[in-house]
Amino acid sequence: MQRHYYISDSIDELDELERELEAGGLARTQIHVLSDMDQQVAERQLPEVEAVLRQDVVHGTEVGALVGLLIAGSVLLFAYLSGLAGTVTWVPFIFLAVVVLGFCTWEGGLFGIQVPNSNFSRFADTLEAGKHVLFVDVDGPQESVLEQVVGGHPQLQVAGHGQAMPQWVLEAQNKWLHFIKVMP
C-alpha cells in the first residue's frame, strides 16, 4: 500500500473529497485529515488523526523495546558467562530481564509521547499556516480511483508519498467499525 499526502486551504473541499473517495470504494479508515483546527474537522465528521498517532508513541515504544531486548539479553548473557545462574538459579536473572524489557519499553513510549510523529513533522509549517493535510492509503487497484477524484480538485496540492498503514491494520479497523455499527 502507498500513502498519498495532499494539502488544502479549505476544510469544505476536504469534506467533499472524503465523500467522493468513499463513494469511489475507499474505506473511511483509509482516509485521514491532519489539521490544527480540530473543532472544524470534528464538526464535519471527517476522519481525523487520533491524538496518540500525532505523537511518536509507537516509534518510541519500538525503540524502547529494542533497547530493552539488548539490555535484557546482556543480563542473561552475564548470568550465563559468570556462572551465577548455576549457583543462584536462573529465576532472578530472568525476572530482572523481563523487568528491564518492560521498563525500557514503557520509557520509550513516554519519550515518544513528547515528540511529534516523525511522519508528520514535515507538515508543521503547513499546519501552523492554517492549512490541512489529507492523506489516503491506497493499494494498486485504488490508485486510479484516487487519481480520478483528486483530479477533480485542482486547488489540492500534492505533498508527496509515504509508507501506508499495513493492510492488516486497516482490515482490523474496518471490522471494528462494522462491529460498533451492528452493536445495539
Side-chain angles (χ1 to χ4, degrees), residues 34 49-60 109-120:
L34 178 64
V49 178
E50 292 84 9
V52 70
L53 295 178
R54 290 177 182 226
Q55 304 307 112
D56 226 3
V57 177
V58 174
H59 182 253
L110 287 178
F111 177 76
I113 207 166
Q114 300 172 37
V115 179
N117 190 320
S118 56
N119 294 324
F120 304 144

Side-chain angles (χ1 to χ4, degrees), residues 66-84:
L66 183 60
V67 169
L69 279 173
L70 291 173
I71 296 173
S74 298
V75 166
L76 295 176
L77 184 63
F78 170 76
Y80 175 74
L81 293 177
S82 68
L84 286 174

Side-chain angles (χ1 to χ4, degrees), residues 10-124:
S10 170
I11 197 81
D12 294 325
E13 180 180 30
L14 293 181
D15 191 20
E16 181 181 332
L17 186 65
E18 187 256 340
R19 279 187 257 133
E20 291 175 16
L21 288 171
E22 283 189 40
L26 273 73
R28 185 172 177 85
T29 54
Q30 292 176 261
I31 306 164
H32 301 280
V33 175
L34 178 64
S35 176
D36 282 346
M37 300 176 192
D38 294 333
Q39 184 65 29
Q40 290 181 1
V41 173
E43 285 172 0
R44 288 173 178 77
Q45 298 180 350
L46 290 169
E48 60 187 325
V49 178
E50 292 84 9
V52 70
L53 295 178
R54 290 177 182 226
Q55 304 307 112
D56 226 3
V57 177
V58 174
H59 182 253
T61 302
E62 289 171 346
V63 170
L66 183 60
V67 169
L69 279 173
L70 291 173
I71 296 173
S74 298
V75 166
L76 295 176
L77 184 63
F78 170 76
Y80 175 74
L81 293 177
S82 68
L84 286 174
T87 309
V88 181
T89 73
W90 278 97
V91 174
F93 298 105
I94 292 172
F95 182 74
L96 179 60
V98 169
V99 168
V100 164
L101 174 62
F103 179 76
C104 289
T105 303
W106 175 61
E107 280 297 316
L110 287 178
F111 177 76
I113 207 166
Q114 300 172 37
V115 179
N117 190 320
S118 56
N119 294 324
F120 304 144
S121 60
R122 64 181 166 164
F123 299 116

